[in-house]
């Protein structure tokens, strides 16, 4: 019997919306694209963004603690865990409903996922991710006294946190077990909950991991055949927004890395998608990475749309 293909699907923030009602609607559309891939007979593992959701949770807890001093603000690791829970809740129910309407009965589970980071990662000394509510100058100074980083914005000040490299997925064996059992798994949401080892304990880190980078690591750990990154564009292009814009159809790892060196892709946006794709694809001759939009997911999986990155061509 031929072994089932394994596909890791990374959903961008547009697959989730910005508010609770938007998220419910958006996950129904994402579920259709996911069900299309499930119908091919592949094992499917899903991860997702959480940028809007984790910011909302962080802001809500901070505002609440300001007005109710007897309560404390939530650390970033807790906010990340909460976002995994309620995004997973909407996603798994939307996927389940879509599959049932197609006559497919497969369990869908969300795994609360922690990701190990290096406490000495350079990112902790050069934070780049803006998070939370706008602060007054006095509040910003108070955050700095606590050892946190802040940055000036047009409206005031905001906290900035690190985006370290993911080193290890703590719950990877659980994920592998569920995939082997033919279940659809939602995991590593928002890049995973960043943690650091302290003896036998895992301590939450004040950080956010790039969702696309953890997607690449997850695909490698699972020995996946395809890494599919669903984003806001149907196809990646060079010289984006210029008169010389050129759509990319199929390219190899060497070409992908050359374009990154030319700074063709924006850091924190398209660049980490290419980094994850290249790292994943070059480890196996039959691996491929696909970058496209949700509406074009099925066509891209069949190599009729999107941008395809392969080991060689």
């Amino acid at each position: 019997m031929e072994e089932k293909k394994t596909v890791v699907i990374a959903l961008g923030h547009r697959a989730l919306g910005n508010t609770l009602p938007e998220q419910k609607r958006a996950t129904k559309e994402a579920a259709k694209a996911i069900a299309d891939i499930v119908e091919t007979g592949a094992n499917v593992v899903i991860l997702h963004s959480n940028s809007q959701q984790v910011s909302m949770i962080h802001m809500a807890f901070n505002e609440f603690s300001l007005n109710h001093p007897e309560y404390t603000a939530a650390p970033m690791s807790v906010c990340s865990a909460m976002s995994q829970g309620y995004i997973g809740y909407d996603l798994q129910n939307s996927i389940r409903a879509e599959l049932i309407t197609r006559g497919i009965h497969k369990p869908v589970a969300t795994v609360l996922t922690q990701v190990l980071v290096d406490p000495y990662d350079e990112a902790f000394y050069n934070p780049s991710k803006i998070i939370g509510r706008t602060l007054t100058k006095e509040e910003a100074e108070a955050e700095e006294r606590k050892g946190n980083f802040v940055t000036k914005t047009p409206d005031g000040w905001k906290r900035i946190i690190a985006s370290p490299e993911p080193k290890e997925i703590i719950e990877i064996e659980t994920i592998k077990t569920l995939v082997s059992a033919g279940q659809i798994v939602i995991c590593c949401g928002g890049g995973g909950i960043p943690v650091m080892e302290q003896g036998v304990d895992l301590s939450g880190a004040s950080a956010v991991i790039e969702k696309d980078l953890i997607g690449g690591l997850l695909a490698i750990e699972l020995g996946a055949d395809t890494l599919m990154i669903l984003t806001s564009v149907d196809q990646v292009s060079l010289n984006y927004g210029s008169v010389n814009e050129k759509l990319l159809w199929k390219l190899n790892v060497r070409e992908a890395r050359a374009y990154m060196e030319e700074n063709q892709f924006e850091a924190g946006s398209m660049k980490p998608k290419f980094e994850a794709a290249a790292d994943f694809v070059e480890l196996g001759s039959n691996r491929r990475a696909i970058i496209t939009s949700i509406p074009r997911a099925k066509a891209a999986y069949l190599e009729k749309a999107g941008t395809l990155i392969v080991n060689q061509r």
Side-chain angles (χ1 to χ4, degrees), residues 84 110-116 168-178 185-188 192-193 195 202 218 221-222:
Q84 283 190 11
T110 299
V111 176
L112 199 67
T113 317
Q114 302 172 94
V115 174
L116 194 68
E168 179 186 335
I169 299 168
I170 301 297
E171 287 76 22
I172 190 63
E173 293 305 321
T174 300
I175 296 164
K176 287 179 178 179
T177 299
L178 292 171
V185 184
I186 302 164
C187 60
C188 298
I193 305 162
V195 295
L202 294 173
L218 177 64
E221 289 285 343
L222 293 177

Side-chain angles (χ1 to χ4, degrees), residues 2-313:
E2 185 180 355
E3 189 174 346
K4 278 192 172 186
K5 302 287 187 183
T6 297
V7 182
V8 171
I9 301 176
L11 299 174
H13 71 273
R14 295 202 179 188
L16 303 175
N18 297 319
T19 65
L20 291 176
E22 282 183 14
Q23 181 171 295
K24 280 195 173 294
R25 292 193 296 270
T27 54
K28 289 183 183 297
E29 291 305 309
K32 293 176 184 176
I34 292 164
D36 285 340
I37 309 304
V38 173
E39 280 188 323
T40 69
N43 285 322
V44 173
V45 182
I46 303 142
L47 65 145
H48 56 78
S49 171
N50 73 342
S51 55
Q52 298 298 323
Q53 291 78 4
V54 79
S55 289
M56 181 172 62
I57 293 168
H58 185 268
M59 191 180 303
F61 268 86
N62 275 277
E63 290 289 346
F64 187 76
S65 64
L66 280 176
N67 294 308
H68 300 274
E70 67 272 27
Y71 292 94
T72 58
M76 278 304 302
S77 56
V78 173
C79 295
S80 179
M82 290 181 177
S83 72
Q84 283 190 11
Y86 91 78
I87 293 170
Y89 164 66
D90 277 345
L91 259 179
Q92 69 184 42
N93 284 341
S94 294
I95 295 167
R96 175 183 178 274
E98 181 64 29
L99 292 176
I100 289 174
T101 63
R102 302 186 187 202
I104 302 171
H105 297 272
K106 289 176 73 71
V108 187
T110 299
V111 176
L112 199 67
T113 317
Q114 302 172 94
V115 174
L116 194 68
V117 297
D118 182 353
Y120 300 105
D121 192 302
E122 284 295 321
F124 285 110
Y125 306 100
N126 297 285
S128 59
K129 297 288 185 180
I130 296 176
I131 190 75
R133 67 183 183 88
T134 300
L135 307 171
T136 64
K137 184 178 180 181
E138 292 73 21
E139 289 172 329
E141 290 172 348
E143 289 293 335
E144 288 183 320
R145 285 194 295 272
K146 289 188 285 186
N148 295 324
F149 291 86
V150 296
T151 187
K152 186 76 168 64
T153 70
D155 300 322
W157 283 261
K158 284 197 172 188
R159 274 195 63 191
I160 48 173
I161 59 176
S163 183
E165 294 280 329
K167 296 298 182 183
E168 179 186 335
I169 299 168
I170 301 297
E171 287 76 22
I172 190 63
E173 293 305 321
T174 300
I175 296 164
K176 287 179 178 179
T177 299
L178 292 171
V179 174
S180 296
Q183 299 196 27
I184 297 169
V185 184
I186 302 164
C187 60
C188 298
I193 305 162
V195 295
M196 296 180 287
E197 288 181 319
Q198 293 186 338
V200 297
D201 295 321
L202 294 173
S203 176
S206 183
V208 173
I209 299 169
E210 282 284 357
K211 173 260 305 174
D212 297 309
L213 296 184
I214 196 62
L217 178 58
L218 177 64
I220 290 168
E221 289 285 343
L222 293 177
D225 304 276
T226 301
L227 171 62
M228 176 174 280
I229 300 174
L230 300 182
T231 185
S232 58
V233 295
D234 293 342
Q235 200 169 356
V236 183
S237 61
L238 300 177
N239 308 311
Y240 181 73
S242 74
V243 294
N244 298 319
E245 187 170 345
K246 176 187 175 184
L247 294 174
L248 291 175
W249 291 94
K250 187 175 183 179
L251 62 157
N252 60 34
V253 172
R254 179 180 52 80
E255 292 167 325
R257 294 201 186 280
Y259 291 140
M260 283 190 283
E261 289 176 5
E262 293 173 8
N263 294 318
Q264 283 284 349
F265 312 120
E266 185 179 353
S269 178
M270 191 58 70
K271 186 176 180 181
K273 294 173 175 55
F274 264 74
E275 288 175 348
D279 289 346
F280 166 68
V281 169
E282 71 181 355
L283 292 179
S285 59
N286 295 319
R287 293 179 174 184
R288 61 180 186 161
I290 299 165
I291 303 174
T292 191
S293 62
I294 287 176
R296 303 297 289 159
K298 183 178 181 179
Y301 186 76
L302 299 173
E303 299 188 4
K304 296 179 181 178
T307 297
L308 178 68
I309 302 169
V310 296
N311 201 308
Q312 56 188 354
R313 57 173 180 152

